[in-house]
Amino acid sequence: MFNDEAIIRFQTIIDKIEDIEAIIARHGAITRALGDFEGQPALLMLLVAIAEQFHKLKKCCNEELLHHFEEMTLKGYMIFVSLSLMITTG
C-alpha cells in the first residue's frame, strides 16, 4: 500500500496531532492555549511540522497518495501548508 517513508510520515503527523491535543488539554481550552506565551508558539510549531510532513508526503509519495485521497483533499493539505508557513513567518 504505502512505502516505509510514507508510513513514518503519517505516524509523525499522528504524533504531532496527539501533542496538540495534550497542550490543549493542559490549558483546558484552545483559546487559553493560544493565549499562553508558551502554548501559542508550541501549537504553531506543531502545525508547521504537520504541514511539512504533508509537503514531504506529496513529494515522495504523490502517486500513492492520489490513489487514496481525492484531489480536493490534497489541495486542502497544500492550502494548510501555505497558511501554516504564512502564520509562522509573519
Side-chain angles (χ1 to χ4, degrees):
M1 187 166 181
F2 288 110
N3 65 36
D4 290 342
E5 183 178 358
I7 292 169
I8 290 168
R9 297 207 183 284
F10 279 121
Q11 186 58 53
T12 300
I13 291 168
I14 291 167
D15 293 343
K16 302 290 183 205
I17 291 170
E18 289 172 351
D19 291 344
I20 289 171
E21 290 172 342
I23 291 169
I24 293 169
R26 187 177 315 130
H27 287 86
I30 184 118
T31 53
R32 284 190 223 140
L34 288 171
D36 182 68
F37 74 98
E38 291 176 337
Q40 182 186 34
L43 289 171
L44 292 177
M45 288 307 297
L46 287 166
L47 288 174
V48 168
I50 291 169
E52 288 172 351
Q53 292 303 315
F54 277 122
H55 181 70
K56 290 176 183 178
L57 267 171
K58 186 172 185 218
K59 284 173 63 176
C60 83
C61 314
N62 193 36
E63 290 302 316
E64 289 180 79
L65 286 174
L66 289 176
H67 295 294
H68 297 281
F69 296 98
E70 293 181 15
E71 185 177 344
M72 289 303 294
T73 303
L74 291 176
K75 285 182 182 179
Y77 293 148
M78 298 292 46
I79 290 169
F80 178 73
V81 170
S82 299
L83 289 175
S84 295
L85 292 174
M86 286 177 12
I87 288 169
T88 57
T89 58

Coordinates of all heavy atoms in Angstrom, one line a residue:
M1 N 0.8 -1.2 0.0 CA 0.0 0.0 0.0 C 0.9 1.3 0.0 O 1.1 1.8 -1.0 CB -0.9 0.0 1.2 CG -1.9 1.0 1.2 SD -3.1 0.5 2.4 CE -4.3 1.7 2.5
F2 N 1.4 1.7 1.2 CA 2.3 2.8 1.2 C 3.7 2.3 1.5 O 3.9 1.3 2.2 CB 1.9 3.8 2.3 CG 0.7 4.6 2.0 CD1 -0.5 4.3 2.7 CD2 0.7 5.5 1.0 CE1 -1.6 5.1 2.4 CE2 -0.5 6.3 0.7 CZ -1.6 6.0 1.4
N3 N 4.7 3.0 1.1 CA 6.1 2.6 1.4 C 6.4 3.0 2.8 O 5.7 3.7 3.5 CB 7.1 3.2 0.3 CG 7.1 4.7 0.4 OD1 7.0 5.4 1.4 ND2 7.3 5.3 -0.8
D4 N 7.6 2.6 3.2 CA 8.0 2.8 4.6 C 8.1 4.3 4.9 O 7.8 4.8 6.0 CB 9.4 2.2 4.9 CG 9.2 0.7 5.0 OD1 8.1 0.2 5.1 OD2 10.3 0.0 4.8
E5 N 8.6 5.1 4.0 CA 8.8 6.6 4.2 C 7.4 7.2 4.5 O 7.2 8.0 5.4 CB 9.4 7.2 3.0 CG 9.7 8.7 3.2 CD 10.4 9.4 2.1 OE1 10.7 8.7 1.1 OE2 10.6 10.6 2.2
A6 N 6.4 6.8 3.7 CA 5.1 7.4 3.9 C 4.5 7.0 5.2 O 3.9 7.8 5.9 CB 4.1 6.9 2.7
I7 N 4.7 5.7 5.6 CA 4.1 5.3 6.9 C 4.8 6.1 8.0 O 4.1 6.5 9.0 CB 4.4 3.8 7.1 CG1 3.5 3.0 6.1 CG2 4.1 3.3 8.5 CD1 3.8 1.5 5.9
I8 N 6.1 6.3 8.0 CA 6.8 7.1 9.0 C 6.2 8.5 9.0 O 6.0 9.1 10.1 CB 8.3 7.1 8.8 CG1 8.8 5.7 9.0 CG2 9.0 8.1 9.6 CD1 10.3 5.5 8.6
R9 N 6.0 9.1 7.9 CA 5.5 10.5 7.8 C 4.0 10.5 8.4 O 3.7 11.5 9.1 CB 5.5 11.0 6.4 CG 7.0 11.1 5.9 CD 7.2 12.2 4.9 NE 8.6 12.1 4.5 CZ 9.6 12.6 5.2 NH1 9.4 13.2 6.3 NH2 10.8 12.6 4.7
F10 N 3.2 9.5 8.1 CA 1.9 9.5 8.6 C 1.9 9.4 10.2 O 1.1 10.0 10.9 CB 1.0 8.4 8.0 CG 0.4 8.7 6.7 CD1 0.7 7.9 5.6 CD2 -0.4 9.7 6.5 CE1 0.2 8.2 4.4 CE2 -1.0 10.0 5.3 CZ -0.7 9.2 4.2
Q11 N 2.8 8.5 10.7 CA 2.9 8.3 12.1 C 3.4 9.6 12.8 O 2.9 10.0 13.9 CB 3.9 7.2 12.5 CG 3.9 6.9 13.9 CD 2.6 6.5 14.5 OE1 1.9 5.6 14.0 NE2 2.1 7.2 15.6
T12 N 4.3 10.3 12.1 CA 4.8 11.6 12.7 C 3.6 12.6 12.8 O 3.5 13.3 13.8 CB 5.9 12.2 11.8 OG1 7.0 11.2 11.8 CG2 6.4 13.5 12.3
I13 N 2.8 12.6 11.7 CA 1.6 13.5 11.8 C 0.7 13.2 12.9 O 0.2 14.0 13.7 CB 0.9 13.5 10.4 CG1 1.7 14.1 9.3 CG2 -0.5 14.1 10.5 CD1 1.2 13.9 7.9
I14 N 0.5 11.9 13.1 CA -0.4 11.4 14.2 C 0.2 11.9 15.6 O -0.5 12.3 16.5 CB -0.6 9.9 14.2 CG1 -1.5 9.6 12.9 CG2 -1.2 9.4 15.5 CD1 -1.5 8.1 12.6
D15 N 1.5 11.7 15.7 CA 2.2 12.1 17.0 C 2.1 13.6 17.2 O 1.8 14.0 18.4 CB 3.7 11.7 16.9 CG 3.9 10.2 16.9 OD1 3.0 9.4 17.2 OD2 5.0 9.8 16.5
K16 N 2.2 14.4 16.2 CA 2.1 15.8 16.3 C 0.7 16.2 16.7 O 0.5 17.1 17.6 CB 2.5 16.6 15.1 CG 3.9 16.3 14.6 CD 4.9 16.9 15.5 CE 6.3 16.6 14.9 NZ 7.4 16.6 15.9
I17 N -0.3 15.6 16.1 CA -1.7 15.8 16.5 C -2.0 15.5 17.9 O -2.6 16.2 18.7 CB -2.7 15.1 15.5 CG1 -2.6 15.7 14.1 CG2 -4.1 15.1 16.1 CD1 -3.3 14.9 13.1
E18 N -1.4 14.4 18.4 CA -1.6 14.0 19.8 C -0.9 15.0 20.7 O -1.4 15.3 21.8 CB -1.0 12.6 20.0 CG -1.9 11.5 19.4 CD -1.2 10.1 19.5 OE1 0.0 10.0 19.8 OE2 -1.9 9.2 19.1
D19 N 0.2 15.6 20.3 CA 0.9 16.6 21.1 C 0.0 17.9 21.2 O -0.1 18.5 22.2 CB 2.3 17.0 20.5 CG 3.3 15.9 20.6 OD1 3.1 15.0 21.4 OD2 4.3 16.0 19.9
I20 N -0.6 18.2 20.1 CA -1.5 19.4 20.1 C -2.7 19.1 21.0 O -3.0 20.0 21.8 CB -2.1 19.6 18.6 CG1 -1.0 20.2 17.8 CG2 -3.3 20.6 18.7 CD1 -1.3 20.3 16.3
E21 N -3.2 17.9 21.0 CA -4.3 17.6 21.9 C -3.9 17.7 23.4 O -4.6 18.2 24.3 CB -4.8 16.2 21.6 CG -5.6 16.1 20.3 CD -6.0 14.7 19.9 OE1 -5.4 13.7 20.5 OE2 -6.8 14.5 19.1
A22 N -2.6 17.3 23.7 CA -2.1 17.3 25.1 C -1.9 18.8 25.5 O -2.3 19.1 26.7 CB -0.8 16.6 25.1
I23 N -1.4 19.6 24.6 CA -1.3 21.0 25.0 C -2.6 21.7 25.3 O -2.8 22.4 26.3 CB -0.5 21.8 23.9 CG1 0.9 21.3 23.8 CG2 -0.6 23.3 24.1 CD1 1.7 21.8 22.6
I24 N -3.6 21.4 24.4 CA -4.9 22.0 24.6 C -5.5 21.5 25.9 O -6.1 22.2 26.7 CB -5.8 21.7 23.4 CG1 -5.3 22.4 22.2 CG2 -7.3 22.0 23.7 CD1 -6.0 22.0 20.9
A25 N -5.4 20.2 26.2 CA -5.9 19.6 27.4 C -5.2 20.2 28.7 O -5.9 20.5 29.7 CB -5.7 18.1 27.4
R26 N -3.9 20.4 28.6 CA -3.2 21.0 29.7 C -3.7 22.4 30.1 O -3.8 22.8 31.2 CB -1.7 21.1 29.4 CG -0.9 21.5 30.6 CD 0.6 21.5 30.4 NE 1.1 20.3 29.7 CZ 1.8 20.3 28.6 NH1 2.2 21.4 28.1 NH2 2.2 19.2 28.1
H27 N -4.1 23.2 29.0 CA -4.6 24.5 29.2 C -6.1 24.6 29.4 O -6.6 25.6 29.8 CB -4.2 25.4 28.0 CG -2.8 25.7 28.0 ND1 -1.8 24.9 27.4 CD2 -2.1 26.8 28.5 CE1 -0.6 25.5 27.6 NE2 -0.8 26.6 28.2
G28 N -6.8 23.5 29.1 CA -8.2 23.4 29.3 C -9.1 23.9 28.1 O -10.3 23.6 28.1
A29 N -8.5 24.6 27.2 CA -9.2 25.1 26.0 C -8.2 25.6 25.0 O -7.1 26.1 25.4 CB -10.2 26.2 26.4
I30 N -8.6 25.5 23.8 CA -7.7 26.0 22.7 C -7.4 27.5 22.8 O -6.3 28.0 22.6 CB -8.2 25.7 21.3 CG1 -7.2 26.1 20.3 CG2 -9.5 26.3 21.0 CD1 -6.6 25.0 19.5
T31 N -8.4 28.3 23.2 CA -8.3 29.7 23.4 C -7.3 30.0 24.5 O -6.5 31.0 24.3 CB -9.6 30.4 23.6 OG1 -10.2 29.8 24.8 CG2 -10.5 30.3 22.4
R32 N -7.3 29.3 25.5 CA -6.3 29.5 26.6 C -4.9 29.1 26.2 O -3.9 29.8 26.5 CB -6.7 28.8 27.9 CG -7.8 29.4 28.6 CD -8.0 28.8 30.0 NE -9.5 28.7 30.1 CZ -10.1 27.7 30.7 NH1 -9.4 26.7 31.1 NH2 -11.4 27.7 30.7
A33 N -4.8 28.0 25.4 CA -3.5 27.5 24.9 C -2.9 28.6 24.0 O -1.7 28.9 24.0 CB -3.7 26.2 24.3
L34 N -3.8 29.1 23.1 CA -3.3 30.1 22.2 C -3.0 31.5 22.8 O -2.2 32.2 22.3 CB -4.3 30.4 21.1 CG -4.4 29.2 20.0 CD1 -5.6 29.5 19.1 CD2 -3.2 29.1 19.2
G35 N -3.6 31.7 24.0 CA -3.3 32.9 24.8 C -2.1 32.8 25.6 O -1.6 33.8 26.2
D36 N -1.5 31.6 25.8 CA -0.4 31.4 26.7 C 0.9 31.7 25.9 O 1.0 31.3 24.8 CB -0.4 30.0 27.2 CG 0.8 29.7 28.1 OD1 0.8 30.2 29.2 OD2 1.6 28.9 27.7
F37 N 1.9 32.3 26.6 CA 3.1 32.7 25.9 C 4.0 31.5 25.5 O 4.8 31.6 24.6 CB 3.9 33.7 26.7 CG 4.6 33.1 27.9 CD1 5.9 32.7 27.9 CD2 3.9 32.9 29.1 CE1 6.6 32.2 28.9 CE2 4.6 32.4 30.2 CZ 5.9 32.0 30.1
E38 N 3.8 30.3 26.1 CA 4.4 29.1 25.7 C 3.5 28.2 24.8 O 4.0 27.5 23.9 CB 4.9 28.3 26.9 CG 6.0 29.0 27.7 CD 6.4 28.2 28.9 OE1 5.6 27.5 29.5 OE2 7.6 28.4 29.4
G39 N 2.3 28.2 25.1 CA 1.3 27.4 24.4 C 1.2 27.8 22.9 O 1.2 26.9 22.1
Q40 N 1.1 29.1 22.7 CA 0.9 29.5 21.3 C 2.0 29.1 20.4 O 1.8 28.5 19.3 CB 0.7 31.0 21.2 CG 0.4 31.5 19.8 CD 0.3 33.0 19.8 OE1 1.0 33.7 20.5 NE2 -0.5 33.5 18.9
P41 N 3.3 29.4 20.7 CA 4.4 29.0 19.8 C 4.5 27.5 19.7 O 4.8 27.0 18.6 CB 5.7 29.6 20.5 CG 5.2 30.5 21.6 CD 3.8 30.2 21.9
A42 N 4.2 26.8 20.8 CA 4.2 25.3 20.7 C 3.2 24.8 19.7 O 3.5 23.9 18.8 CB 4.0 24.7 22.0
L43 N 2.0 25.3 19.8 CA 0.9 24.9 18.8 C 1.3 25.3 17.4 O 1.1 24.5 16.5 CB -0.4 25.5 19.2 CG -1.0 25.0 20.5 CD1 -2.3 25.8 20.9 CD2 -1.4 23.5 20.3
L44 N 1.8 26.5 17.2 CA 2.1 26.9 15.8 C 3.3 26.1 15.3 O 3.2 25.7 14.1 CB 2.5 28.4 15.8 CG 1.3 29.4 16.1 CD1 1.8 30.8 16.2 CD2 0.2 29.2 15.1
M45 N 4.3 25.8 16.1 CA 5.4 24.9 15.6 C 4.9 23.5 15.2 O 5.3 22.9 14.2 CB 6.5 24.9 16.6 CG 7.3 26.2 16.7 SD 7.9 26.8 15.1 CE 9.0 25.5 14.6
L46 N 4.0 23.0 16.0 CA 3.4 21.7 15.7 C 2.6 21.7 14.4 O 2.7 20.8 13.5 CB 2.5 21.2 16.8 CG 3.3 20.7 18.1 CD1 2.4 20.6 19.3 CD2 4.0 19.4 17.8
L47 N 1.9 22.8 14.1 CA 1.2 22.9 12.9 C 2.1 23.0 11.7 O 1.9 22.4 10.6 CB 0.2 24.1 12.9 CG -1.0 24.0 13.8 CD1 -1.7 25.4 13.9 CD2 -1.9 22.9 13.3
V48 N 3.2 23.7 11.9 CA 4.2 23.8 10.8 C 4.8 22.5 10.6 O 5.0 22.1 9.4 CB 5.3 24.9 11.2 CG1 6.5 24.8 10.2 CG2 4.7 26.3 11.1
A49 N 5.1 21.7 11.6 CA 5.7 20.4 11.5 C 4.8 19.5 10.7 O 5.2 18.7 9.9 CB 6.1 19.8 12.8
I50 N 3.5 19.5 11.0 CA 2.5 18.7 10.3 C 2.4 19.1 8.8 O 2.4 18.3 8.0 CB 1.1 18.9 11.0 CG1 1.1 18.2 12.4 CG2 0.0 18.3 10.1 CD1 -0.1 18.5 13.2
A51 N 2.4 20.4 8.6 CA 2.4 20.9 7.2 C 3.6 20.4 6.4 O 3.5 20.0 5.3 CB 2.3 22.4 7.2
E52 N 4.8 20.5 7.1 CA 6.0 20.0 6.4 C 5.9 18.5 6.1 O 6.4 18.1 5.0 CB 7.2 20.3 7.3 CG 7.6 21.7 7.4 CD 8.6 22.0 8.4 OE1 9.0 21.1 9.2 OE2 9.1 23.2 8.4
Q53 N 5.3 17.7 7.0 CA 5.2 16.3 6.7 C 4.3 16.0 5.5 O 4.5 15.2 4.7 CB 4.7 15.6 8.0 CG 5.7 15.5 9.1 CD 7.0 14.9 8.7 OE1 7.0 13.8 8.1 NE2 8.1 15.5 9.1
F54 N 3.2 16.8 5.4 CA 2.3 16.7 4.3 C 3.0 17.1 3.0 O 2.8 16.4 2.0 CB 1.0 17.5 4.5 CG 0.0 16.9 5.3 CD1 -0.5 17.5 6.4 CD2 -0.6 15.6 4.9 CE1 -1.5 16.9 7.2 CE2 -1.6 15.0 5.7 CZ -2.0 15.7 6.8
H55 N 3.8 18.1 3.1 CA 4.6 18.5 1.9 C 5.5 17.4 1.5 O 5.7 17.1 0.3 CB 5.3 19.8 2.2 CG 6.1 20.3 1.0 ND1 5.5 20.9 -0.1 CD2 7.4 20.4 0.8 CE1 6.4 21.2 -1.0 NE2 7.6 21.0 -0.4
K56 N 6.2 16.8 2.4 CA 7.2 15.8 2.1 C 6.5 14.5 1.6 O 7.0 13.8 0.7 CB 8.0 15.4 3.3 CG 9.0 16.5 3.7 CD 9.7 16.2 5.0 CE 10.7 17.3 5.4 NZ 11.4 17.1 6.6
L57 N 5.3 14.3 2.1 CA 4.5 13.1 1.6 C 4.1 13.3 0.2 O 4.2 12.4 -0.7 CB 3.2 13.0 2.4 CG 3.2 12.1 3.6 CD1 1.9 12.2 4.4 CD2 3.4 10.6 3.2
K58 N 3.8 14.6 -0.2 CA 3.4 14.8 -1.6 C 4.6 14.7 -2.5 O 4.5 14.1 -3.6 CB 2.8 16.2 -1.7 CG 2.3 16.5 -3.1 CD 1.6 17.8 -3.2 CE 1.0 17.9 -4.6 NZ 1.1 19.2 -5.2
K59 N 5.8 15.1 -2.0 CA 7.0 14.9 -2.8 C 7.4 13.5 -3.0 O 7.8 13.1 -4.1 CB 8.1 15.7 -2.2 CG 8.0 17.2 -2.4 CD 9.1 18.0 -1.7 CE 10.4 17.7 -2.1 NZ 11.4 18.6 -1.5
C60 N 7.4 12.7 -1.9 CA 7.9 11.3 -2.0 C 6.8 10.3 -2.5 O 7.2 9.3 -3.1 CB 8.4 10.9 -0.6 SG 7.1 10.2 0.5
C61 N 5.6 10.6 -2.3 CA 4.6 9.5 -2.5 C 3.4 10.0 -3.2 O 2.2 9.6 -3.0 CB 4.2 9.0 -1.1 SG 5.6 8.6 -0.1
N62 N 3.5 11.0 -4.1 CA 2.4 11.6 -4.7 C 1.5 10.6 -5.4 O 0.3 10.7 -5.3 CB 2.8 12.7 -5.7 CG 1.7 13.6 -6.2 OD1 0.8 13.9 -5.4 ND2 1.7 14.0 -7.4
E63 N 2.1 9.7 -6.2 CA 1.3 8.7 -6.9 C 0.5 7.8 -6.0 O -0.7 7.6 -6.2 CB 2.2 7.9 -7.8 CG 2.8 8.7 -9.0 CD 1.7 9.3 -9.9 OE1 0.7 8.6 -10.2 OE2 1.9 10.4 -10.3
E64 N 1.1 7.4 -4.9 CA 0.4 6.6 -3.9 C -0.7 7.3 -3.3 O -1.8 6.8 -3.1 CB 1.4 6.1 -2.9 CG 2.4 5.0 -3.3 CD 3.3 4.6 -2.2 OE1 2.8 3.8 -1.4 OE2 4.4 5.1 -2.2
L65 N -0.5 8.6 -2.9 CA -1.5 9.4 -2.3 C -2.7 9.6 -3.2 O -3.8 9.6 -2.7 CB -0.9 10.7 -1.8 CG 0.1 10.7 -0.6 CD1 0.7 12.1 -0.4 CD2 -0.6 10.3 0.6
L66 N -2.4 9.9 -4.4 CA -3.5 10.2 -5.3 C -4.5 9.1 -5.4 O -5.7 9.3 -5.6 CB -3.0 10.6 -6.7 CG -2.3 11.9 -6.8 CD1 -1.7 12.1 -8.2 CD2 -3.2 13.1 -6.5
H67 N -4.1 7.9 -5.2 CA -5.0 6.7 -5.3 C -5.9 6.6 -4.1 O -6.9 5.9 -4.1 CB -4.2 5.4 -5.5 CG -3.5 5.4 -6.8 ND1 -4.1 5.3 -8.0 CD2 -2.1 5.4 -7.1 CE1 -3.2 5.3 -9.0 NE2 -2.0 5.3 -8.4
H68 N -5.5 7.2 -3.0 CA -6.2 7.0 -1.7 C -6.9 8.3 -1.2 O -7.8 8.2 -0.4 CB -5.2 6.6 -0.6 CG -4.6 5.3 -0.9 ND1 -5.2 4.1 -0.7 CD2 -3.4 5.0 -1.4 CE1 -4.4 3.1 -1.0 NE2 -3.3 3.6 -1.5
F69 N -6.6 9.4 -1.8 CA -7.3 10.7 -1.4 C -7.8 11.4 -2.7 O -7.2 11.3 -3.8 CB -6.3 11.6 -0.8 CG -5.7 11.1 0.5 CD1 -4.5 10.4 0.6 CD2 -6.5 11.2 1.7 CE1 -4.0 9.9 1.7 CE2 -6.0 10.7 2.9 CZ -4.7 10.0 2.9
E70 N -8.9 12.1 -2.5 CA -9.4 12.9 -3.6 C -8.5 14.1 -3.8 O -7.8 14.6 -3.0 CB -10.8 13.4 -3.2 CG -11.9 12.3 -3.1 CD -13.2 12.8 -2.7 OE1 -13.5 14.0 -2.9 OE2 -14.1 12.0 -2.3
E71 N -8.6 14.6 -5.0 CA -7.7 15.7 -5.4 C -8.0 16.9 -4.5 O -7.1 17.6 -4.1 CB -8.0 16.1 -6.9 CG -7.0 17.2 -7.4 CD -7.2 17.5 -8.9 OE1 -7.8 16.7 -9.6 OE2 -6.8 18.5 -9.3
M72 N -9.3 17.2 -4.2 CA -9.6 18.3 -3.3 C -9.0 18.2 -2.0 O -8.6 19.2 -1.3 CB -11.1 18.5 -3.3 CG -11.7 19.0 -4.5 SD -11.0 20.6 -5.1 CE -11.5 21.7 -3.8
T73 N -8.9 17.0 -1.5 CA -8.3 16.7 -0.1 C -6.8 17.1 -0.2 O -6.3 17.8 0.7 CB -8.5 15.3 0.3 OG1 -9.8 14.9 0.3 CG2 -7.9 15.0 1.6
L74 N -6.1 16.7 -1.2 CA -4.7 17.0 -1.4 C -4.5 18.5 -1.5 O -3.6 19.1 -1.0 CB -4.1 16.3 -2.5 CG -3.9 14.8 -2.3 CD1 -3.4 14.1 -3.6 CD2 -3.0 14.5 -1.2
K75 N -5.4 19.2 -2.2 CA -5.3 20.7 -2.4 C -5.5 21.3 -1.0 O -4.9 22.3 -0.7 CB -6.4 21.2 -3.4 CG -6.0 20.9 -4.8 CD -7.0 21.4 -5.8 CE -6.6 21.1 -7.2 NZ -7.6 21.6 -8.2
G76 N -6.4 20.8 -0.2 CA -6.7 21.3 1.1 C -5.4 21.2 2.0 O -5.1 22.1 2.7
Y77 N -4.7 20.1 1.9 CA -3.4 19.9 2.6 C -2.4 21.0 2.2 O -1.7 21.6 3.0 CB -2.8 18.5 2.4 CG -3.6 17.4 2.9 CD1 -3.6 16.2 2.3 CD2 -4.3 17.5 4.1 CE1 -4.3 15.1 2.9 CE2 -5.1 16.5 4.7 CZ -5.1 15.3 4.0 OH -5.8 14.2 4.6
M78 N -2.4 21.3 0.9 CA -1.4 22.2 0.4 C -1.8 23.6 0.8 O -0.9 24.5 1.2 CB -1.3 22.2 -1.1 CG -0.8 20.9 -1.7 SD 0.9 20.3 -1.4 CE 1.4 20.5 0.2
I79 N -3.1 23.9 0.9 CA -3.5 25.2 1.5 C -3.1 25.3 2.9 O -2.6 26.3 3.4 CB -5.0 25.4 1.3 CG1 -5.3 25.6 -0.2 CG2 -5.6 26.6 2.1 CD1 -6.8 25.5 -0.6
F80 N -3.3 24.2 3.7 CA -2.9 24.2 5.1 C -1.4 24.4 5.2 O -1.0 25.2 6.1 CB -3.3 22.8 5.6 CG -2.9 22.6 7.1 CD1 -3.6 23.2 8.1 CD2 -1.8 21.8 7.4 CE1 -3.2 23.1 9.4 CE2 -1.4 21.6 8.7 CZ -2.1 22.3 9.7
V81 N -0.6 23.9 4.3 CA 0.9 24.1 4.4 C 1.1 25.6 4.2 O 1.9 26.2 4.9 CB 1.6 23.3 3.3 CG1 3.0 23.7 3.1 CG2 1.5 21.8 3.6
S82 N 0.5 26.2 3.2 CA 0.8 27.6 2.9 C 0.3 28.5 4.0 O 1.1 29.4 4.4 CB 0.0 28.0 1.6 OG 0.4 27.2 0.5
L83 N -0.8 28.2 4.6 CA -1.3 29.1 5.7 C -0.4 28.9 6.9 O -0.1 29.9 7.6 CB -2.7 28.7 6.0 CG -3.8 29.1 5.0 CD1 -5.2 28.6 5.4 CD2 -3.8 30.6 4.9
S84 N 0.0 27.7 7.2 CA 0.9 27.5 8.4 C 2.2 28.2 8.2 O 2.7 28.8 9.2 CB 1.2 26.0 8.5 OG 0.0 25.3 8.8
L85 N 2.8 28.2 7.0 CA 4.0 28.9 6.8 C 3.8 30.4 6.9 O 4.7 31.1 7.4 CB 4.6 28.5 5.5 CG 5.1 27.0 5.4 CD1 5.5 26.7 4.0 CD2 6.2 26.7 6.4
M86 N 2.7 30.9 6.4 CA 2.4 32.3 6.5 C 2.3 32.8 7.9 O 2.8 33.9 8.3 CB 1.2 32.7 5.7 CG 1.4 32.7 4.2 SD -0.1 33.0 3.1 CE -1.3 33.6 4.1
I87 N 1.6 32.0 8.7 CA 1.4 32.3 10.1 C 2.8 32.4 10.9 O 3.0 33.4 11.6 CB 0.5 31.3 10.8 CG1 -0.9 31.4 10.3 CG2 0.6 31.4 12.3 CD1 -1.8 30.3 10.8
T88 N 3.7 31.5 10.6 CA 4.9 31.5 11.4 C 5.9 32.5 10.8 O 6.8 32.9 11.6 CB 5.5 30.1 11.4 OG1 5.7 29.6 10.0 CG2 4.6 29.1 12.1
T89 N 5.8 32.8 9.6 CA 6.8 33.7 9.0 C 6.3 35.2 9.1 O 7.1 36.1 8.7 CB 7.2 33.4 7.6 OG1 6.0 33.4 6.8 CG2 7.9 32.0 7.5
G90 N 5.1 35.4 9.5 CA 4.6 36.7 9.7 C 4.1 37.3 8.4 O 3.9 38.4 8.1

